Amino acid sequence: MNPLLEQLSGSVAAAQNVEDLTRSLLEMLEAVTGIESTYLTSIDESQGTLEIRYAHNAGELQIPEGFSTAWDQTPCKRAMDEGRVYVDDISERWGDMAVVRDLGLRAYASMPVRRADGQLCGTLCAASRRERPSTPETGHILTLFAHLIGQQLERERLIQELTAANERLSRHAATDELTGLPNRRALMEALTRLLAQGRRRQAEVLVAFVDLDDFKAINDRHGHGVGDQFLAAIAQRLRTVLREEDVIARMGGDEFVVATLGPQAADASRGAQDTFRERIAQATQGRFDLPGGSFDYAGASVGAVAVPPQNALAAGDALRLADRRMYEIKQARRALLPVDFNPR
């Protein structure tokens, strides 16, 4: 096999990303053409900028990676506009360009790098302070290498898009659309992690089950639109009384769950559980001024339990205990007056 083709085949097969592939190709480009500086640029046509992304410098001429300049002031742009791949008299032909004079360039090669849709994303270039006559192989190699880099860029772009789409789908699958809170599925995972953290830290985990009393009356009196606004408002109020690391989720319907890491087991007391429950209950009480109506709300029924670290309780069991405690609280609040509705 031709040594170049053998090296090229190995580089393409071994490359894990654009950088791996490009650095190998730049070295091969310098070895084949004898041009001491080879580099790949990144072009943002909307901003009118060119940046040196990767460079291979084998002589006195040093093309710095990360250098950025105006796209329309570069030999790359001039070469593309004139349809030239190789210029062996650049100092005479493009002597009006500051970069050509400042770097003392004598020979220059450039090939556009495009994505699958034809969009220009960069250029593959070679520059020299020494005279280097063009050879037939130079144009072919530049074309091939630019095509390979373009394919790798497109492959990575598609992978990034697929990864982002998968992340969006995962977030959607784990999020309650109305309130933006984690849903039941995400709650079970988060609560499982919190219970494990409590065991590691030898701390209680406080779990509160929240049920919105008289929610049906709100829907019946003012419509489901206001009911949805009320659910979103409750979610926001619960967020305000929690720490960033606490767990909050909508179970569905008019039910929410809140959990937090409580005190160390040695300091645990019934007071921490009651304080937590009261804090959550108070967050649901008061005046709600919503776009579709305003009313005073007496608050939700909130049941809370404290799971000690020595109790290897599963997330589902902890929720059932908190739900049972919430039902006891609800039974004790049966005499609660109905919602005082004052629509705007």
Side-chain angles (χ1 to χ4, degrees), residues 322-343:
D323 185 23
R324 188 181 307 161
R325 181 58 182 151
M326 181 276 299
Y327 184 74
E328 294 171 358
I329 297 292
K330 182 182 286 289
Q331 293 295 96
R333 300 178 72 221
R334 282 182 174 177
L336 183 68
L337 292 175
V339 174
D340 180 17
F341 229 5
N342 298 303

Side-chain angles (χ1 to χ4, degrees), residues 99 166 254:
V99 66
N166 186 60
D254 58 355

Side-chain angles (χ1 to χ4, degrees), residues 254-267:
D254 58 355
E255 295 177 335
F256 297 81
V257 169
V258 180
T260 187
L261 202 62
Q264 297 287 319
D267 302 323

Side-chain angles (χ1 to χ4, degrees), residues 93-335:
R93 184 181 297 274
W94 296 340
D96 61 306
M97 302 189 73
V99 66
V100 172
R101 297 193 305 270
D102 294 343
L103 295 179
L105 299 182
R106 302 296 297 277
Y108 186 79
S110 179
M111 179 64 64
V113 177
R114 299 183 184 275
R115 295 195 178 95
D117 60 2
Q119 180 183 350
L120 179 69
C121 56
T123 55
L124 179 62
C125 305
S128 176
R129 286 176 175 171
R130 302 190 299 270
E131 292 185 0
R132 288 290 177 183
S134 176
T135 64
E137 292 81 9
T138 302
H140 297 314
I141 292 171
L142 278 168
T143 300
L144 174 60
F145 286 7
H147 177 69
L148 291 173
I149 293 172
Q151 283 188 322
Q152 184 68 26
L153 285 168
E154 180 69 11
R155 187 178 301 115
E156 291 192 5
R157 183 185 69 84
L158 291 174
I159 290 173
Q160 290 173 355
E161 288 184 357
L162 288 172
T163 301
N166 186 60
E167 290 176 353
R168 289 194 296 271
L169 287 173
S170 297
R171 287 195 298 270
H172 179 74
T175 303
D176 173 58
E177 186 175 355
L178 177 62
T179 63
L181 295 178
N183 58 20
R184 183 188 184 96
R185 171 186 169 186
L187 167 67
M188 300 304 290
E189 297 176 359
L191 186 53
T192 298
R193 290 194 298 269
L194 190 65
L195 289 167
Q197 186 179 9
R199 288 190 289 272
R200 288 195 303 272
R201 296 188 181 184
Q202 285 298 294
E204 284 189 337
V205 174
L206 306 177
V207 183
F209 202 104
V210 182
D211 184 273
L212 302 181
D213 295 332
D214 293 319
F215 178 67
K216 184 177 182 300
I218 295 174
N219 278 331
D220 290 345
R221 288 189 176 188
H222 208 66
H224 290 278
V226 169
D228 287 348
Q229 294 168 14
F230 178 58
L231 289 172
I234 287 289
Q236 183 56 38
R237 288 197 182 189
L238 290 176
R239 285 191 187 100
T240 62
V241 297
L242 298 176
R243 300 170 299 184
E244 185 176 351
E245 63 270 23
D246 291 342
V247 171
I248 177 174
R250 183 187 177 197
M251 287 288 287
D254 58 355
E255 295 177 335
F256 297 81
V257 169
V258 180
T260 187
L261 202 62
Q264 297 287 319
D267 302 323
S269 68
R270 181 57 184 260
Q273 174 183 320
D274 292 340
T275 299
F276 177 63
R277 188 200 71 79
E278 186 62 25
R279 176 157 55 93
I280 300 303
Q282 288 179 357
T284 68
Q285 299 168 3
R287 186 74 174 174
F288 285 82
D289 293 316
L290 306 174
S294 298
F295 53 90
D296 294 314
Y297 186 62
S301 290
V302 180
V305 294
V307 182
Q310 65 272 19
N311 190 336
L313 205 60
D317 294 330
L319 287 176
R320 280 187 285 274
L321 288 175
D323 185 23
R324 188 181 307 161
R325 181 58 182 151
M326 181 276 299
Y327 184 74
E328 294 171 358
I329 297 292
K330 182 182 286 289
Q331 293 295 96
R333 300 178 72 221
R334 282 182 174 177

